[in-house]
Structure formats: C-alpha cells, structure tokens
C-alpha cells in the first residue's frame, strides 16, 4: 500500500468526506509549488499537542467524574436486574436472562464504537467544519440503527440456541417473544444512546475536554438502565399478550393484570400476531437507514465489512449470559444479578476509554498499516503497557488505579440499598475486588495488542476492537464473578462445618 492510499484511507476511516469538494487537487503553478486558493487554505493544527500535554492527573480528573457517574448507573442497573428477575416473564422465559448481557453489551458494540469514531474525528479536527457535521452524524446514527436492528434479531437466536443445547427444549412462542423484545429494545436504546453520544462529543469538543475520556463512561451510565428498562417493559408486555395462556399477575409489575373474556381465556391469545408484526415492522425500516447511511461513502465500507466484530462480540457476550442464566436462581449465587452489570460495565468502560485513546493516538501520529517505531511489537511486554512514561502506558495506569476505589464505592452503594440481598462477608469483598482487578488488567493489555494488530492490517480500531473487548469483558466479568460467589460459599460452608463439628462431638 503506497503512501497516497494510506493517507486517503486515514481520512475515510473516520466516516468523513474529503474536505476538497472539487474532486481534484489544485494544479501546480509553472514556476513554483502547488498554489492553493485563499478560500481553501486552512491553518494547520498541532494535532498531537493536546494528547502530549496530558498528565496522569489531568487524565484522572477528566475520567473520574464520568466513571463514578457511570458506576452509579451500573449499580442502579444491577438493582433493577435483581428486581426484574422476579417478574413472571423472567421466571417463565429463562432465556431472557441469557439475552441481558448481549443487549446491554450493545452499548459497547455500537454506542461506544460510535463515540470512539466521533471522538477520534473530533480530536483530529475533522469535525470542526459545520458543513461536514450533519452528514457525518446522520450517516453514523443511521448505521447504528441498521446494526442494532440486525444484532437485536440475532441475539435472541443465539440465546435460544444456547438454551436449547443446555435444556434440549425449544418453544416457538418464546422464540417470538424473545425476538420482538430484543429487536425493539435494541432499536430504541440505540437511537436514544446514539443521540446522547453525538451531543456529548460535540459538547466536549467545544468545552475543550477530550471526548475519549468522558463519552464512553457517560454512555454506560445510562445505557444499562435504559436497555434493561426497555427490555423488561416490552418483554412483560408481550408476555401478557401472547398465546401462553393466562399469565400470572405480579404486584410488582408496572403492567395491569391480564383481561379475561366470557370464555375464561386470556385476551392475549388473540394477539398472537403482535410480536411478528413488531419484528417485521422494525426490520422493514432497515432499507431506510441504509439509504441514509450510504450518503457517506466511508460508512458504506462499515456496512459491508463491519459486521463480523459486533456479531462475534454478541456471541461472546451470550456465553456470559448463559453463565448468568444458570447461576442467578441458585442460593449460593445470591446477589449475582446485582453485581453482574457492575463488574461487566466497569471493565467495558475502562477498556473502551483506553482503546479509544490509543486509536486517536495512532490517527494523529501514523497512517493505517504503518505502526510507529516504538509500537512495532504486536505482543508488547506487559511492563511496557503499564510501567513506562509513554502516554498510553500512563493512561493505562490511571485506569487501573480506578478499579479498586471505584468498586469499593459501588459496593458501598449496593450494601446501603440492597444489603440483605448480597453477601456481606469480607472474603467475598476481597475476591470480588481481585476479580475486578484481574479482569481490567487483562482487558487493558489485550486492548494494546488488538489495536496494534488491527492498525497493522489498515483497519480502524474504533470499529474493530471495542466490540471484541467489551464482549470479552462481559464473559470475563460474569465468569470471575460466578467464581467469587462459589469460592466464598465454599469457604463459608467449610467454616460452618468446622464450627458445628466440635459441637456435635462427645462432651
């Protein structure tokens, strides 16, 4: 790949059109270098100076407020999930729990990827032209609506497949409910969070704050709450209007009890076509979003070749959902529903920040396909990832130092609100903090590796790395959390046996 092609690709990867609208470069004068008309001259910007002036303190101050705000949102999402798990629809349709991590993870696959793309474009000065902003924003929002609709349709299929493999059962009525709930949740959540991301990136740029540091945590702070609330509401609504027979009424539900006709049958039996119509209606809007997205040629490339990362990430998150599904109702895993969004969300937020920062750094200092000399190794020494004076290593340390204090604060909030539903042993707290630290350390190192690999392949890390890493964060977080509950339960049982055994012996 020659230099001209890589430079052209660099502009295209960010979802922006070329700034010269004439379609050709200015001609060189006969007696001198290229002459550029006065109207087309743009004063050069020192693109790398903003990042190079950042210190550990400035990064920490910019990250900590949205990170804590996000953590409180994640804590609220955990409390909501603990409440929703007792709703009739979640108790009857167990595969709905398997669907939670992939749908909640859409903020990593779509909104965080969108925020990272726009943050990179903003930091490199390519969103300062108002003429370009409208096209970039509309095409990117249309893109995530296409992706959300398709992934929202595929996620329940993966959840049902995993559930069928583990139980050997498949109910067609539950298939329709899961598909309709998933598609409408993904559609509405993607629209709301996409608009939020656009406002945050543009506002941060105008205020002189690095969008890489704040966009993704704020997306997470509201993303889980919005997604879980939409999923619970619509799945419960469809559950009361589908042909499963009369649905039991739950006083905690926000929906009214089912209505019965003179024959004693629930009116939901007459709404068997509701869920298919919802799926068909939302899927029918996909060509409209495609037409809007196609107005920006670089977005067409993502439409064609950007599906593999988000679909694979969805599959990875589904395995985390399967772990949640199998453990949430067992006594030794009491509190699993509350902590799952927190540990998965914290890991995903921090690794998304680091990935977006490294991607912005490479867009500033290099061209796709060409790694800087100091980043030539695909598998760097972990010490160079966390222990050097280089800007990306410094940001990795800052993010890693936030893990323990952040989780302690979120634990305190959980114990204040729902202390009777979670383990209160010091052993669990120690293992939980250790699990969170291990998860984030692995993710931050993998972020460094994956960004280098994708950049070397002339791929944009904003589009290809964040979905994989957030999916892995969901799987690692759910798996390590289940292990914490299991170890804590085993140790408490062993301690209880040690106390009871002498008491039951001879006097």
């Amino acid at each position: 790949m020659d230099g001209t092609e890589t430079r052209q690709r660099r502009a295209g990867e960010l979802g922006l059109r070329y700034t010269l609208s004439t379609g050709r470069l200015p001609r060189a004068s006969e007696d001198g270098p290229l002459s550029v008309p006065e109207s087309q001259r743009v004063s050069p910007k020192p693109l790398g100076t903003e990042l190079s002036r950042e210190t550990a303190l400035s990064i920490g101050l910019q990250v900590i407020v949205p990170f804590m705000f996000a953590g409180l949102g994640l804590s609220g999402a955990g409390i909501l999930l603990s409440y929703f798990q007792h709703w009739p629809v979640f108790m009857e349709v167990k595969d709905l729990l398997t669907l939670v991590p992939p749908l909640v993870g859409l903020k990593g696959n779509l909104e965080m990827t969108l925020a990272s793309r726009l943050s990179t474009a903003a930091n490199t000065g390519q969103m300062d032209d108002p003429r370009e902003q409208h096209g970039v924003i509309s095409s990117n929002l249309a893109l995530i609506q296409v992706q959300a609709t398709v992934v929202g349709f595929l996620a329940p299929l993966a959840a049902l497949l995993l559930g069928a493999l583990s139980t050997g059962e498949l109910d067609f009525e539950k298939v329709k409910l899961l598909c309709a709930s998933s598609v409408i949740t993904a559609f509405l959540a993607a629209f709301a969070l996409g608009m939020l991301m656009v406002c945050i990136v543009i506002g941060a740029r105008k205020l002189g704050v690095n969008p890489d540091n704040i966009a993704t945590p704020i997306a997470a702070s509201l993303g889980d709450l919005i997604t879980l609330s939409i999923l619970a509401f619509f799945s419960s609504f469809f559950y009361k209007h589908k042909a499963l027979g009369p649905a039991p009424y739950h006083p905690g539900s926000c929906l009214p009890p089912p209505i019965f006709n003179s024959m004693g049958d629930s009116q939901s039996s007459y709404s068997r076509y509701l869920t298919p119509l919802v799926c068909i209606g939302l899927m029918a809007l996909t060509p409209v979003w495609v037409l809007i997205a196609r107005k920006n040629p670089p977005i067409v490339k993502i439409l064609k070749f950007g599906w593999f990362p988000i679909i694979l990430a969805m599959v990875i998150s589904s395995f985390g959902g399967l772990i949640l599904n199998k453990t949430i109702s067992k006594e030794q895993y009491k509190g699993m529903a509350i902590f799952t969004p927190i540990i998965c969300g914290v890991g995903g937020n921090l690794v998304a920040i680091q990935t977006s920062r490294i991607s912005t750094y490479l867009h500033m200092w290099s061209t796709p396909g060409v790694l800087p000399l100091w980043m030539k190794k695909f598998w760097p020494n972990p010490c160079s990832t966390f222990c050097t004076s280089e800007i990306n290593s410094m940001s990795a340390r800052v993010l890693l130092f936030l893990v323990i204090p952040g989780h302690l604060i979120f634990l305190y909030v959980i114990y204040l609100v729902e202390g009777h539903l979670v383990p209160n042993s010091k052993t669990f707290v120690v293992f939980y903090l250790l699990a969170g630290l291990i998860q984030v350390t692995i993710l931050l190192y993998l972020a460094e590796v994956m960004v280098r690999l994708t950049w070397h392949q002339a791929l944009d890390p904003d589009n290809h790395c964040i979905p994989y890493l957030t999916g892995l964060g969901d799987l690692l977080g759910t798996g390590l959390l289940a292990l914490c509950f299991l170890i804590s339960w085993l140790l408490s049982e062993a301690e209880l046996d040690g106390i009871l055994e002498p008491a039951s012996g001879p006097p």
Side-chain angles (χ1 to χ4, degrees):
M1 180 181 294
D2 58 21
T4 302
E5 185 181 349
T6 56
R7 282 191 294 274
Q8 291 175 345
R9 185 165 188 170
R10 176 184 175 184
E13 291 288 339
L14 295 173
L16 299 169
R17 301 178 190 271
Y18 301 116
T19 56
L20 293 177
S21 60
T22 57
R24 61 180 184 272
L25 292 172
R27 292 189 178 185
S29 61
E30 294 180 358
D31 55 347
L34 291 175
S35 60
V36 181
E38 187 68 28
S39 62
Q40 292 183 1
R41 291 182 183 175
V42 179
S43 59
K45 294 186 178 183
L47 299 177
T49 56
E50 292 186 18
L51 280 184
S52 62
R53 287 199 301 263
E54 284 188 315
T55 63
L57 180 61
S58 66
I59 295 172
L61 291 176
Q62 289 187 26
V63 170
I64 190 167
V65 174
F67 172 71
M68 298 307 299
F69 185 59
L72 295 177
L74 294 170
S75 302
I79 295 171
L80 276 182
L81 182 58
S82 176
Y83 172 68
F84 289 149
Q85 69 172 321
H86 302 294
W87 280 24
V89 63
F90 284 89
M91 298 178 68
E92 174 72 20
V93 187
K94 292 293 186 181
D95 290 326
L96 202 58
L97 291 170
T98 308
L99 200 58
V100 169
L103 280 183
V104 171
L106 275 179
K107 73 177 186 296
N109 300 342
L110 304 181
E111 280 75 30
M112 287 184 180
T113 303
L114 170 68
S116 184
R117 281 200 305 268
L118 296 180
S119 298
T120 299
N123 280 324
T124 52
Q126 299 183 57
M127 283 191 67
D128 296 339
D129 184 2
R131 295 174 301 177
E132 299 292 338
Q133 274 193 12
H134 177 73
V136 173
I137 291 172
S138 61
S139 60
N140 274 278
L141 289 178
L143 171 67
I144 66 168
Q145 287 306 120
V146 176
Q147 293 175 326
T149 303
V150 174
V151 175
F153 184 74
L154 294 177
L157 299 182
L160 287 164
L161 179 61
L162 291 174
L165 291 176
S166 59
T167 63
E169 299 178 357
L170 187 62
D171 188 338
F172 183 68
E173 290 297 329
K174 294 180 181 179
V175 171
K176 293 193 296 183
L177 183 146
L178 284 175
C179 288
S181 302
S182 177
V183 171
I184 197 169
T185 299
F187 181 89
L188 295 177
F191 178 78
L193 294 174
M195 292 296 295
L196 179 65
M197 285 299 93
V198 170
C199 295
I200 289 171
V201 171
I202 294 176
R205 183 64 177 172
K206 289 182 178 179
L207 294 174
V209 178
N210 188 349
D212 284 327
N213 294 334
I214 66 171
T216 51
I218 293 178
S221 66
L222 297 176
D224 289 6
L225 288 170
I226 292 173
T227 304
L228 278 174
S229 299
I230 294 174
L231 177 64
F233 178 83
F234 280 101
S235 61
S236 186
F237 176 79
F238 293 141
Y239 177 72
K240 288 177 168 42
H241 291 81
K242 75 188 191 73
L244 280 180
Y249 174 59
H250 188 261
S253 174
C254 63
L255 296 175
I259 302 173
F260 297 88
N261 58 25
S262 59
M263 299 294 293
D265 298 325
S266 172
Q267 288 186 356
S268 63
S269 61
Y270 298 99
S271 304
R272 65 182 64 186
Y273 299 112
L274 176 62
T275 50
L277 285 175
V278 169
C279 294
I280 294 171
L282 293 178
M283 293 293 289
L285 290 175
T286 303
V288 178
W289 307 125
V290 171
L291 288 176
I292 297 174
R294 285 173 63 87
K295 294 180 180 179
N296 194 340
I299 295 298
V300 177
K301 181 180 176 182
I302 302 176
L303 276 174
K304 291 180 179 178
F305 306 109
W307 292 102
F308 185 75
I310 61 174
I311 291 176
L312 183 58
M314 177 266 296
V315 173
I316 295 172
S317 296
S318 297
F319 282 99
L322 185 62
I323 296 174
L324 177 65
N325 187 5
K326 297 298 181 183
T327 57
I328 195 171
S329 59
K330 297 181 179 179
E331 183 63 27
Q332 59 264 42
Y333 298 98
K334 183 181 179 182
M336 185 83 177
I338 296 179
F339 287 109
T340 297
I342 300 175
I343 193 169
C344 293
V346 168
N349 294 346
L350 295 179
V351 75
I353 293 173
Q354 181 70 354
T355 305
S356 184
R357 290 182 58 88
I358 300 174
S359 176
T360 298
Y361 179 84
L362 288 172
H363 276 98
M364 287 181 171
W365 294 105
S366 185
T367 54
V370 181
L371 284 166
L373 290 176
W374 54 92
M375 297 179 70
K376 284 293 184 182
K377 290 183 179 180
F378 292 149
W379 296 91
N381 189 319
C383 292
S384 67
T385 303
F386 297 100
C387 304
T388 67
S389 58
E390 193 261 333
I391 183 68
N392 293 323
S393 178
M394 181 171 61
S395 64
R397 289 196 299 273
V398 171
L399 297 176
L400 196 60
F401 289 155
L402 290 175
V403 175
I404 299 296
H407 273 303
L408 284 174
I409 294 174
F410 306 149
L411 278 170
Y412 181 71
V413 172
I414 291 297
Y415 281 121
L416 284 179
V417 180
E418 297 285 352
H420 62 287
L421 296 177
V422 294
N424 57 2
S425 67
K426 295 179 180 179
T427 304
F428 173 79
V429 173
V430 170
F431 279 106
Y432 176 78
L433 295 177
L434 182 62
L437 195 62
I438 292 173
Q439 176 207 30
V440 174
T441 303
I442 294 173
L443 290 176
L444 291 177
Y445 178 73
L446 289 179
E448 185 78 26
V449 172
M450 292 186 69
V451 169
R452 296 186 185 199
L453 289 172
T454 53
W455 190 263
H456 179 70
Q457 297 296 324
L459 299 172
D460 189 354
D462 289 331
N463 298 324
H464 291 81
C465 292
I466 292 180
Y468 292 131
L469 292 168
T470 53
L472 285 171
D474 290 343
L475 182 58
L476 279 173
T478 311
L480 290 172
L481 180 63
L483 192 60
C484 289
F485 275 98
L486 181 60
I487 293 175
S488 177
W489 180 76
L490 290 174
L491 290 177
S492 63
E493 288 293 312
E495 182 180 353
L496 186 62
D497 290 342
I499 295 175
L500 294 178
E501 186 173 350
S504 61

